[in-house]
Amino acid sequence: MEKEDLKVLNKGEEEEMELQGYRLCRWRLALVGLGVLCTGGFLLLLLYWMPEWCVKSTCTRTTARDAEVVLMRSTDEFRRWFLARVRVMLAPGSNPFHSLETQTTSPSSPSSPSCPFSSPASPPLANGHTSHPSDGSPAQELIRRYADYQPTQIRYFTFHSTKYYWNDEMQNFEVLKRLFFGVNEIAVKVPSVFKLLIKEVLNPFYIFQLFSVILWSADEYYYYAVAIVFMSVISIATSLYTIKKQYIMLHDMVAAHSIVRVSVCRANNEIEEILSTDLVPGDVMVIPSNGTIMPCDAVLVSGTCIVNESMLTGESVPVTKTNLPNPVPGERGEETDSAYNTEEHKRHTLFCGTNVIQTRFYTGELVKAVVVRTGFSTAKGQLVRSILYPKPTDFKLYRDAYLFLLCLVAVAGIGFVYSIVLSVMNKVPAKTIIIESLDIITITVPPALPAAMTAGIVYAQRRLKRIGIFCISPQRINICGQINLVCFDKTGTLTEDGLDLWGVQRVENGSFHLSEENAYKENLVKSQFVACMATCHSLTKIEGQLSGDPLDLKMFEATGWILEEATEEETSLHNRIMPTVVRPPKQLLPPEPAELYELSSAYEIGIVRQFPFSSALQRMTVVARLLGEKRMDAYTKGAPEVVVSLCKKETVPENFAEVLESYTKQGFRVIALAHRRLESKLNWHKVQNISRDHIEANMEFLGLIIMQNKLKAETPGVLQDLHGAHIRTVMVTGDNMLTAISVARDCGMIPPQDTVIIADALPPHNGQAAKITWRYADKPSKISRLEVSLEDVCHVDEQKTQELYHFAMNGKSFAVIEEHFPDMLQKLVLHGTVFARMAPDQKTQLIEALQGVDYFVGMCGDGANDCGALKRAHGGISLSELEASVASPFTSRTPNISCVPSLIREGRAALITSFCVFKFMALYSIIQYISVTLLYSILSNLGDFQFLFIDIAIILLIVFTMSLNPAWKELVSRRPPSGLISGPLLFSVLTQILICLGFQTITFLWVRQQPWYTVWTPLTDVCNRSSHINVSDDNDTEVDDHNIQNFENTSLFYVSCFQYLIVAIVFSKGKPFRQPSYKNWPFVLSAICLYIFLLFIMFHPVEGIDEFLEIVCVPFEWRVKLFLIIVVNAAVSVLVEGGIDLRAYKCLSRLCCPRKTPKARYMHLAQELSVDPDWPPKPTTTTEAKPRPENGSTYQIMINS
């Protein structure tokens, strides 16, 4: 049953989960209740931390259908557990799931989903059921209706703001967005302070602190306990403030559009005003002409909207949304129309949270949109969910930190056993044994560790803010220190955002004219080429200003034409619709006789229909009509390769490929134009409903527009810095392949001497296996080819060629390789430098492929189509100036890539700071542990105020100032280690532990060998201070209980205090990742003040301080000896740590890790493939694929002379 009843939720999606059903068991609940009582509530805490234990200890397994509780486990690498209670709701009808299929508008019920696409001929329906013809008596009809409307129980549970319903047909829980829609609201509940407090306080660490405080109180260490409570309260308060602030920010961001009044079309075209929270999928919403913020995802069914989508994409350029194409009335019943798909019909969809700036409507018609998704199902809802429920950040440092803490707990365990054995042997009372042995555990696991670790990240975040980089995920700063590959978007990131028109090259009669600088000429004004430039765009006027895509803007401005958005009166001239009219300026038109002047001034073209630019299709098309003409014209612009494929062959010049290549190799962005005269039978109404494919065929090729995209001034320098630091750079763009390669060469991403190999992958076709054709981009005259069959493995050799070649591929090839050559993809990304024509989701897949071979990937983009990739990368930086771009962990105010090295430098500094702090905190615990263990052997301990002085004055002061070192000025080629468990780091900690242990043991044993040594009593006077004996006589009885005041305690206190400062200075590393410590003045000042204070109380005892710290007076010569011990200790510590830094790094790497295979998969692959003679592909060999057999594949190599 176990295997059989393991359900998979959200199969194939990001939130895929394994689900098991459980039923509550009374006797198990009773047993757990008893256990909770016996353990004083600790068992309850344990079950709170471990959901799987909680469910398995209180429930028994059952089928998912009968479950009262579901236990889920994520299928990703984190394998996290979640539990949810199954609830029951009543739904009308015997089969509510079946009724979903036939659900349409109910005039009687305004809340039921309406279907605007249903045929007007269909009978009225109610509550989702078709009306049955009455075939029996009224009694039978009543019984049937009663059975139909008997409520059915629906089982569901809520997880991460999504409801999952049990579906009997599917035999699984699934998200049914169409069943019970609930309130249309992205409810970001801001939890009460009490709720947040409970959640925060139930953290295992704070529970441990509570245990420590109770223990210290029992041992009368009140001051120390109060200090820890005070620290914890500050830490919890800061944490609560930050979390609460983030919730409020998110709530405010969402609340802007949460509840607005909207107009909805009801039956008989009545307009009803309702609150946006009452919207359900299927409602027809009227978009107001003055714009609105969308409260849901809706698809336009009539009219056009100008939308600002910066909230979702970070791109502030307004986007034009057109209505969904309708089938022709006669074909409405046929199945020819494709189903609505958000991704495919993006240009017709208004997304939740986006701002509709203005609408365009046809005469007398309203702009309407059908609600398709509400609440958390919307695009914005999904974004908010990903912020509310983020994936945990998997980083070696954090995993190693837990291992390190476990090691400290193991050390504490040894001390625990040691102190019990010692106390029993010395016949110490049981209460003292329990307190002192548990005390060892609280000493070994430092209570200030989380606060100390957070400090470095907080300081790094502040420094980043100072240089204009904002961070919404502080834990990622450390991970940025590990980045060894950065992907860059091209347009707007590496190059300037705007494009300049370099020139045009027209085509007439199937051959190219010479290139011209511009199209602003009298002889061209009435040409189809200029008409295409003037009409084929999605520009709009907002408050009198032309607005839209920068490329469209530059192209239209080059014509010198004027764009007018037509008034109501003018539309009547153009068969009842004419949203936009373009016309040339009067000075460009040839002079006409006076009586014809009226006619000539009316040379204008109206844009009848727009098929917006689609990144999937890589083109846009408009249907336009010249005033006074009966027939319409279609104009297309887009990627040259795509436009040419839509044109008649005879209209395309023979040298098209050579001309295109000559431009793209120089780095120009080339756009092709095409035109087609439409048939006279295509009237306005037919054009509104015709599909794109009918128009985009048999076109005439008009020529090329050549745009120049200049590199940003900072780009080459930054890329050079990254290469110098051995950080790989990759370009991922939506632009043309050869343009991208040219830009990559210009900016230094591909050195001039390196070869670029383009991988053209073809999917399986006519029974042939998928194959890859290789060609050398730099040798267009003699294209060498090599083909690889479906399963042929390709190899990349890193050492052999020293990266003298780079792979380049486009989005289509990437998709084919990913599907048919998954093993090859991993090897191709080792040298893949240019990825062109990549769709937004392919950018994300590329990031995943690079992470799959163990790269730490950074991504830098301008936010427009990089959202997914920015979120998926280890460190994503958006260059969008809009802070609203919530998709990216980092946002830079500087609109160029100079922020990338800054972020990596700060990441490295924060990472090294984390290591320093962790090492210091570990040493602090161990030094204190050694002192206490040595003192336990003579039944003594450190005093309350000694602990207090060490923990507050030394540790906290040092920890919070040692984290302040700023980042090093430049990026170095070495990377910091990614985890704490590395040879040099462990060796450094172990040697310092041994040094501290050695010098403390020497001190402890040597003091007992001194001629003046005696067991200390209040009457002991080794300093000849007899006058003070009587004064302190009365106050010492209480101290004697704990035996704090003695020579061993005082000597160890002095030595250990200096040891804390020594290791702080030794571990506070500077170059090559941080500025040297002497530039960190708060740290230097703190250390100097502490040194002066300790030397002062050591050589010049002050009675008040001695009494407060419970220090006893020792002879002057012993103080000098202690000083010598401290000096030698410092010298040994500094020399050993310096030695580890210089020599031991390489020696230890060889000793500790005599492995032949490197850890990172990409290095392992490169090493593995370094012996392959057939890689990179050679121009003279061809590998022809044979048909693919059952297992594996075969291929035949031919040598071409």
Side-chain angles (χ1 to χ4, degrees):
M1 182 179 123
E2 294 271 327
K3 270 278 182 214
E4 191 186 315
D5 211 53
L6 192 74
K7 303 290 181 190
V8 178
L9 278 189
N10 306 324
K11 196 162 187 160
E13 291 176 36
E14 201 176 342
E15 267 200 343
E16 190 177 274
M17 297 267 180
E18 290 168 352
L19 177 141
Q20 300 167 17
Y22 284 86
R23 185 182 282 278
L24 285 167
C25 173
R26 284 181 186 172
W27 64 267
R28 287 191 183 198
L29 273 169
L31 273 179
V32 168
L34 191 66
V36 169
L37 284 172
C38 296
T39 56
F42 183 69
L43 180 62
L44 197 63
L45 269 174
L46 206 60
L47 297 181
Y48 169 77
W49 294 329
M50 304 286 211
E52 74 276 24
W53 291 9
C54 177
V55 172
K56 287 173 181 176
S57 60
T58 56
C59 306
T60 51
R61 274 299 296 270
T62 181
T63 58
R65 183 204 166 102
D66 304 320
E68 292 174 6
V69 176
V70 289
L71 180 64
M72 292 167 283
R73 193 177 192 185
S74 64
T75 54
D76 56 17
E77 67 271 28
F78 304 107
R79 305 290 285 157
R80 293 171 296 158
W81 292 94
F82 303 96
L83 66 90
R85 288 294 302 267
V86 176
R87 302 181 188 282
V88 173
M89 74 189 319
L90 297 177
S94 53
N95 190 346
F97 291 96
H98 172 70
S99 69
L100 285 174
E101 310 307 321
T102 55
Q103 215 156 13
T104 53
T105 311
S106 155
S108 60
S109 162
S111 62
S112 72
S114 60
C115 176
F117 308 116
S118 66
S119 162
S122 60
L125 307 170
N127 289 338
H129 288 279
T130 45
S131 50
H132 297 265
S134 182
D135 54 349
S137 65
Q140 283 176 314
E141 177 72 9
L142 196 66
I143 291 163
R144 188 187 51 70
R145 286 199 169 200
Y146 176 74
D148 266 2
Y149 296 114
Q150 267 297 87
T152 308
Q153 284 195 343
I154 300 275
R155 306 171 72 80
Y156 74 96
F157 66 87
T158 307
F159 174 67
H160 283 183
S161 303
T162 306
K163 279 188 175 150
Y164 294 84
Y165 297 92
W166 175 258
N167 187 342
D168 257 345
E169 288 173 27
M170 300 289 295
Q171 281 294 301
N172 197 355
F173 284 96
E174 56 179 351
V175 184
L176 286 169
K177 299 187 178 96
R178 300 170 300 165
L179 184 54
F180 302 102
F181 304 110
V183 178
N184 170 34
E185 193 177 17
I186 301 172
V188 178
K189 293 189 179 82
V190 179
S192 65
V193 174
F194 179 73
K195 264 190 180 176
L196 285 174
L197 181 69
I198 294 297
K199 204 173 176 183
E200 190 69 19
V201 169
L202 292 182
N203 178 316
F205 198 84
Y206 289 121
I207 297 297
F208 176 70
Q209 282 194 344
L210 182 69
F211 159 74
S212 305
V213 166
I214 294 166
L215 184 72
W216 294 324
S217 303
D219 202 16
E220 295 166 14
Y221 285 10
Y222 298 122
Y223 297 104
Y224 189 37
V226 167
I228 288 297
V229 167
F230 177 69
M231 268 169 49
S232 300
V233 166
I234 288 176
S235 173
I236 290 170
T238 314
S239 184
L240 287 189
Y241 172 75
T242 313
I243 295 168
K244 182 97 174 168
K245 192 176 158 192
Q246 282 177 344
Y247 268 111
I248 290 168
M249 273 172 63
L250 191 59
H251 178 267
D252 292 350
M253 184 188 87
V254 171
H257 64 86
S258 259
I259 303 173
V260 290
R261 294 201 74 80
V262 290
S263 301
V264 175
C265 273
R266 295 294 185 209
N268 310 324
N269 280 337
E270 285 174 21
I271 305 290
E272 184 188 341
E273 261 210 11
I274 61 165
L275 283 176
S276 58
T277 45
D278 296 330
L279 284 172
V280 290
D283 278 342
V284 180
M285 186 182 159
V286 178
I287 312 291
S289 56
N290 58 343
T292 180
I293 291 178
M294 288 300 294
C296 57
D297 283 4
V299 60
L300 267 177
V301 286
S302 68
T304 311
C305 291
I306 316 296
V307 186
N308 182 339
E309 293 190 325
S310 62
M311 168 63 234
L312 287 179
T313 63
E315 183 64 79
S316 59
V317 174
V319 185
T320 304
K321 303 278 185 172
T322 57
N323 60 311
L324 200 64
N326 289 321
V328 180
E331 299 168 6
R332 207 172 263 255
E334 294 173 25
E335 289 293 310
T336 51
D337 215 18
S338 62
Y340 167 75
N341 176 299
T342 317
E343 206 51 50
E344 272 178 48
H345 301 111
K346 220 176 192 166
R347 284 291 182 158
H348 312 295
T349 308
L350 304 170
F351 291 104
C352 179
T354 58
N355 189 0
V356 178
I357 302 166
Q358 68 182 56
T359 62
R360 305 249 194 81
F361 50 91
Y362 318 148
T363 320
E365 275 199 45
L366 295 169
V367 177
K368 295 178 192 170
V370 174
V371 178
V372 284
R373 283 190 305 244
T374 57
F376 275 103
S377 308
T378 61
K380 184 171 182 183
Q382 295 292 347
L383 189 61
V384 173
R385 275 183 73 217
S386 70
I387 298 168
L388 279 174
Y389 313 106
K391 268 193 173 183
T393 315
D394 181 38
F395 190 40
K396 206 162 175 287
L397 171 69
Y398 303 122
R399 280 176 296 168
D400 288 357
Y402 286 116
L403 278 173
F404 218 91
L405 278 176
L406 282 174
C407 295
L408 289 179
V409 170
V411 171
I414 297 165
F416 179 75
V417 174
Y418 162 81
S419 67
I420 289 176
V421 171
L422 207 66
S423 303
V424 169
M425 283 164 69
N426 287 294
K427 299 194 173 94
V428 174
K431 183 192 170 190
T432 314
I433 294 177
I434 292 166
I435 289 172
E436 291 199 340
S437 51
L438 289 173
D439 199 23
I440 281 270
I441 295 171
T442 65
I443 285 165
T444 320
V445 182
L449 186 63
M453 293 289 281
T454 311
I457 294 173
V458 171
Y459 297 147
Q461 197 174 355
R462 270 193 3 216
R463 286 195 298 271
L464 283 172
K465 198 171 182 178
R466 235 173 278 145
I467 56 171
I469 299 171
F470 297 91
C471 171
I472 59 165
S473 177
Q475 294 299 335
R476 298 256 187 147
I477 297 174
N478 270 346
I479 301 174
C480 288
Q482 281 295 311
I483 284 174
N484 55 0
L485 182 146
V486 187
C487 294
F488 292 98
D489 180 38
K490 183 179 78 71
T491 313
T493 304
L494 296 172
T495 60
E496 294 291 351
D497 217 345
L499 290 155
D500 299 316
L501 186 84
W502 180 85
V504 296
Q505 190 149 9
R506 294 183 299 118
V507 167
E508 268 182 32
N509 306 323
S511 62
F512 278 115
H513 280 253
L514 291 171
S515 60
E516 299 155 272
E517 226 173 278
N518 61 36
Y520 189 79
K521 293 178 183 163
E522 280 187 21
N523 63 327
L524 291 181
V525 72
K526 292 189 177 180
S527 67
Q528 296 291 8
F529 188 88
V530 172
C532 186
M533 282 176 76
T535 55
C536 197
H537 53 70
S538 55
L539 299 177
T540 183
K541 273 197 171 167
I542 296 174
E543 292 167 8
Q545 282 288 310
L546 265 185
S547 173
D549 186 280
L551 185 145
D552 286 353
L553 213 52
K554 277 277 187 297
M555 183 181 76
F556 184 73
E557 282 169 2
T559 63
W561 283 39
I562 297 154
L563 180 136
E564 286 176 357
E565 293 185 338
T567 59
E568 291 278 327
E569 298 82 64
E570 286 173 320
T571 55
S572 56
L573 291 166
H574 306 281
N575 196 357
R576 99 183 179 85
I577 170 182
M578 194 53 58
T580 308
V581 172
V582 291
R583 57 184 175 76
K586 286 171 187 166
Q587 61 266 31
L588 273 185
L589 289 165
E592 305 263 351
E595 66 273 11
L596 291 172
Y597 179 74
E598 284 297 312
L599 186 65
S600 69
S601 66
Y603 181 83
E604 56 185 43
I605 302 172
I607 299 166
V608 177
R609 171 114 195 251
Q610 269 185 5
F611 295 99
F613 178 79
S614 151
S615 47
L617 299 172
Q618 295 173 9
R619 63 180 182 269
M620 87 163 282
T621 299
V622 293
V623 176
R625 172 187 281 166
L626 180 64
L627 185 67
E629 285 279 334
K630 284 202 172 166
R631 287 171 73 176
M632 298 190 194
D633 296 277
Y635 296 105
T636 298
K637 81 165 195 302
E641 311 91 321
V642 176
V643 172
V644 163
S645 69
L646 306 172
C647 292
K648 296 175 191 164
K649 276 195 179 159
E650 63 271 18
T651 65
V652 180
E654 284 178 16
N655 61 341
F656 166 77
E658 289 82 30
V659 171
L660 175 64
E661 194 163 343
S662 70
Y663 285 127
T664 52
K665 281 183 78 174
Q666 292 172 66
F668 291 117
R669 177 145 183 203
V670 184
I671 290 149
L673 306 182
H675 158 257
R676 177 184 162 198
R677 198 110 164 105
L678 297 178
E679 302 81 18
S680 51
K681 67 173 184 182
L682 279 176
N683 59 18
W684 176 88
H685 191 77
K686 281 183 178 169
V687 164
Q688 291 309 312
N689 298 306
I690 199 166
S691 79
R692 206 168 171 152
D693 305 338
H694 282 110
I695 287 176
E696 294 172 335
N698 293 323
M699 304 196 90
E700 286 178 27
F701 188 68
L702 293 178
L704 304 171
I705 297 177
I706 299 101
M707 313 286 274
Q708 200 171 15
N709 194 193
K710 292 177 186 143
L711 276 180
K712 285 185 179 174
E714 301 80 6
T715 299
V718 170
L719 294 180
Q720 199 175 341
D721 290 351
L722 292 173
H723 288 158
H726 295 164
I727 294 169
R728 246 187 82 188
T729 51
V730 168
M731 184 192 293
V732 48
T733 176
D735 206 344
N736 170 288
M737 167 94 71
L738 293 173
T739 306
I741 292 170
S742 164
V743 171
R745 284 204 182 281
D746 289 349
C747 66
M749 203 177 267
I750 299 174
Q753 69 278 7
D754 291 7
T755 308
V756 177
I757 304 166
I758 295 176
D760 284 329
L762 299 168
H765 183 63
N766 294 340
Q768 288 187 338
K771 59 182 178 181
I772 299 174
T773 309
W774 311 97
R775 56 193 174 91
Y776 285 50
D778 297 332
K779 298 154 192 166
S781 51
K782 294 179 183 174
I783 293 174
S784 43
R785 292 180 174 269
L786 179 138
E787 295 184 352
V788 184
S789 76
L790 183 66
E791 293 289 321
D792 182 22
V793 180
C794 75
H795 308 287
V796 180
D797 159 24
E798 200 147 341
Q799 283 78 17
K800 190 171 59 188
T801 55
Q802 259 99 60
E803 298 212 33
L804 293 174
Y805 62 94
H806 302 256
F807 288 113
M809 66 185 78
N810 61 23
K812 283 179 185 170
S813 298
F814 181 81
V816 172
I817 292 167
E818 192 181 38
E819 188 181 346
H820 300 284
F821 302 82
D823 294 342
M824 187 189 286
L825 183 66
Q826 289 198 337
K827 293 154 189 172
L828 276 178
V829 294
L830 289 188
H831 286 276
T833 304
V834 175
F835 295 86
R837 294 276 187 241
M838 295 286 273
D841 59 324
Q842 287 180 324
K843 291 187 179 186
T844 312
Q845 287 159 9
L846 173 65
I847 301 277
E848 284 171 351
L850 290 164
Q851 288 172 337
V853 289
D854 295 342
Y855 276 113
F856 280 89
V857 185
M859 168 77 196
C860 184
D862 56 358
N865 48 0
D866 308 316
C867 280
L870 288 168
K871 269 175 72 178
R872 183 52 51 92
H874 290 110
I877 318 171
S878 166
L879 297 188
S880 159
E881 285 177 24
L882 295 138
E883 274 187 52
S885 184
V886 287
S888 175
F890 299 94
T891 304
S892 169
R893 270 205 179 146
T894 320
N896 60 57
I897 63 167
S898 60
C899 57
V900 175
S902 304
L903 179 64
I904 297 173
R905 282 190 300 108
E906 287 298 347
R908 288 178 171 189
L911 189 55
I912 289 297
T913 299
S914 295
F915 289 146
C916 293
V917 167
F918 211 97
K919 283 161 73 177
F920 175 67
M921 293 303 279
L923 255 290
Y924 144 63
S925 299
I926 298 293
I927 292 169
Q928 203 168 75
Y929 171 75
I930 293 166
S931 305
V932 171
T933 312
L934 289 169
L935 290 173
Y936 272 13
S937 67
I938 56 160
L939 302 181
S940 177
N941 200 346
L942 287 173
D944 199 354
F945 289 106
Q946 289 176 341
F947 274 125
L948 201 63
F949 174 75
I950 291 167
D951 287 316
I952 306 296
I954 300 182
I955 304 305
L956 286 191
L957 195 61
I958 291 296
V959 147
F960 290 122
T961 55
M962 84 189 295
S963 305
L964 283 167
N965 287 34
W968 187 246
K969 297 183 288 291
E970 63 223 24
L971 273 178
V972 292
S973 57
R974 224 174 94 195
R975 273 195 306 145
S978 60
L980 286 162
I981 316 288
S982 66
L985 216 137
L986 286 177
F987 192 63
S988 160
V989 170
L990 288 171
T991 49
Q992 293 301 332
I993 288 173
L994 290 172
I995 291 163
C996 292
L997 174 67
F999 283 99
Q1000 279 201 49
T1001 311
I1002 289 166
T1003 307
F1004 182 76
L1005 297 173
W1006 200 10
V1007 71
R1008 306 184 78 162
Q1009 304 301 318
Q1010 296 306 306
W1012 47 264
Y1013 177 82
T1014 175
V1015 174
W1016 192 88
T1017 67
L1019 299 172
T1020 307
D1021 182 21
V1022 293
C1023 296
N1024 303 317
R1025 292 197 307 175
S1026 53
S1027 56
H1028 298 296
I1029 292 171
N1030 299 330
V1031 180
S1032 58
D1033 204 5
D1034 302 326
N1035 304 324
D1036 290 331
T1037 49
E1038 204 177 322
V1039 174
D1040 280 344
D1041 289 348
H1042 291 285
N1043 187 20
I1044 303 295
Q1045 290 180 307
N1046 53 55
F1047 297 123
E1048 291 91 342
N1049 170 296
T1050 301
S1051 304
L1052 285 180
F1053 175 72
Y1054 282 138
V1055 171
S1056 65
C1057 280
F1058 278 104
Q1059 282 183 338
Y1060 298 126
L1061 292 173
I1062 291 162
V1063 293
I1065 288 164
V1066 162
F1067 286 158
S1068 191
K1069 301 264 173 66
K1071 202 175 169 184
F1073 303 117
R1074 303 197 306 167
Q1075 299 274 11
S1077 291
Y1078 60 79
K1079 287 194 176 179
N1080 177 357
W1081 65 264
F1083 175 67
V1084 172
L1085 200 65
S1086 305
I1088 289 171
C1089 289
L1090 284 166
Y1091 271 124
I1092 291 168
F1093 176 76
L1094 287 169
L1095 288 168
F1096 174 74
I1097 63 167
M1098 195 166 135
F1099 285 107
H1100 189 278
V1102 177
E1103 196 174 333
I1105 296 173
D1106 283 6
E1107 276 184 21
F1108 178 76
L1109 291 173
E1110 298 174 80
I1111 298 170
V1112 299
C1113 186
V1114 291
F1116 184 78
E1117 66 269 21
W1118 177 240
R1119 290 179 209 157
V1120 173
K1121 286 175 183 171
L1122 281 179
F1123 182 68
L1124 284 172
I1125 289 172
I1126 290 157
V1127 168
V1128 175
N1129 185 346
V1132 173
S1133 288
V1134 169
L1135 286 169
V1136 168
E1137 189 68 15
I1140 290 169
D1141 277 355
L1142 290 169
R1143 290 191 186 85
Y1145 185 80
K1146 283 179 183 172
C1147 305
L1148 271 165
S1149 304
R1150 289 191 194 119
L1151 283 170
C1152 303
C1153 328
R1155 58 174 188 271
K1156 287 177 184 174
T1157 54
K1159 270 188 182 175
R1161 192 163 158 70
Y1162 68 90
M1163 292 167 85
H1164 176 69
L1165 277 169
Q1167 199 181 64
E1168 204 179 76
L1169 302 164
S1170 58
V1171 289
D1172 191 327
D1174 294 329
W1175 196 259
K1178 293 178 180 62
T1180 50
T1181 59
T1182 306
T1183 309
E1184 286 181 355
K1186 290 182 178 176
R1188 185 179 175 182
E1190 289 284 316
N1191 303 310
S1193 69
T1194 56
Y1195 50 86
Q1196 185 180 6
I1197 297 171
M1198 296 166 67
I1199 308 298
N1200 299 337
S1201 53

